[in-house]
Amino acid sequence: MREIFTPGHLLIIAAVALIFFGPAKLPELGRGFGKMIREFKSGTKENLAETEAAAEYSPESPVKASSIPTFVEANPAEPTDRRRLP
């Protein structure tokens, strides 16, 4: 099976990039590409850590029904607004 990127292919790609961008712009593009790769790796590590932490989380005790606040409904016969109507 043939390899996709042989050293010859990489040299051709480098020559085209040099012609297209110029020698002054290539270091800046390399730094930007390296920074992008580092940020992507750190983002995937953070996401993996958060996912693992969420998978390992288990509450120590289940929530008791008595600790859940209940809401008392207002009596519909009583007006909730005490202002006088004109």
Side-chain angles (χ1 to χ4, degrees):
M1 187 169 153
R2 294 180 53 176
E3 294 183 28
I4 296 175
F5 291 114
T6 62
H9 290 123
L10 295 177
L11 284 174
I12 292 172
I13 292 172
V16 169
L18 183 62
I19 292 169
F20 188 69
F21 293 112
K25 196 74 168 171
L26 283 180
E28 183 179 331
L29 290 173
R31 280 191 293 274
F33 186 71
K35 184 178 179 183
M36 179 190 66
I37 294 295
R38 283 191 300 273
E39 289 180 12
F40 180 76
K41 284 184 180 180
S42 68
T44 54
K45 284 181 184 178
E46 289 175 9
N47 189 15
L48 182 62
E50 289 176 4
T51 304
E52 288 176 352
E56 292 176 359
Y57 176 75
S58 63
E60 294 178 10
S61 62
V63 177
K64 296 178 184 176
S66 61
S67 66
I68 300 174
T70 57
F71 298 97
V72 178
E73 293 183 24
N75 187 354
E78 294 180 14
T80 56
D81 190 8
R82 300 289 182 193
R83 290 181 284 165
R84 290 180 160 240
L85 296 175

